[in-house]
Amino acid sequence: MPIGQAKFGLLGGVADPGKLELIETKIADGTSATLDFTSIQESTYNVHFVTFTDMLSALNGDRIKMRFFENGSVESAGVYKYAIQQGSPNGFNESKNTSANDLPTIKNTGTNARSNSNGYTYIYNAGDSSKYTFNTFHSTTTDASLHYFMWFGSGVLPQASTVDGLRFFSGANITGSISLYGIAES
């Protein structure tokens, strides 16, 4: 294939290996606590990248969480596992859970924060029914005293299944935007 052919859309709908491709952006306008991505194109992309921009929950100290759709249904039972590291002016601490109902993505949103939260998560193996689907994440924000926080870690759905959608949600209505990208195997 000639160099640049994929850049100009000449592949006929085939993903360009190794390239980050936007699948969809959703805007949270404060009227709902949930944003669903029901077409993640898991058969095309083996890695997904999600960005969170200016996220804010109407609930103080809340976080944006994630659940996976499996065959069109949301997995919400206590099957998720995760570990988190948090850095703040008070030092570092760890949080972990081996029977969670969701996976963390963005920390410390809510009206007590002086700035909206921003961050990203990578999702691996969503379309591979022979592997566990897991995520890695990182976010930053400030608290009411303008202390900066960083939050990072990883989570897993420890069962082999095909993940075909993503749900991002909070305990209250949210604002901000979430963009979903795919990265095809090279």
Side-chain angles (χ1 to χ4, degrees), residues 94-156:
E94 179 182 67
S95 171
K96 55 190 168 205
N97 192 327
T98 59
S99 60
N101 293 325
D102 51 62
L103 292 174
T105 57
I106 297 289
K107 171 68 173 167
N108 199 30
T109 64
T111 55
N112 66 339
R114 291 282 181 97
S115 68
N116 297 357
S117 296
N118 297 286
Y120 61 85
T121 186
Y122 281 94
I123 301 164
Y124 304 92
N125 304 326
D128 190 337
S129 63
S130 69
K131 296 180 180 177
Y132 292 174
T133 301
F134 64 98
N135 78 320
T136 57
F137 56 89
H138 182 236
S139 69
T140 60
T141 194
T142 59
D143 67 7
S145 301
L146 295 179
H147 296 130
Y148 288 96
F149 285 83
M150 64 178 174
W151 206 52
F152 56 94
S154 184
V156 65

Side-chain angles (χ1 to χ4, degrees), residues 2 46 48:
N46 63 326
H48 291 82

Side-chain angles (χ1 to χ4, degrees), residues 1 3 10-12 15 26 33 42 49 52 60 76 81 89 110 123 164:
M1 166 187 335
I3 294 177
L10 301 176
L11 285 177
K26 293 201 176 236
E42 72 281 355
F49 179 65
F52 303 90
N60 282 337
S76 60
K81 300 174 188 273
I123 301 164
D164 55 5

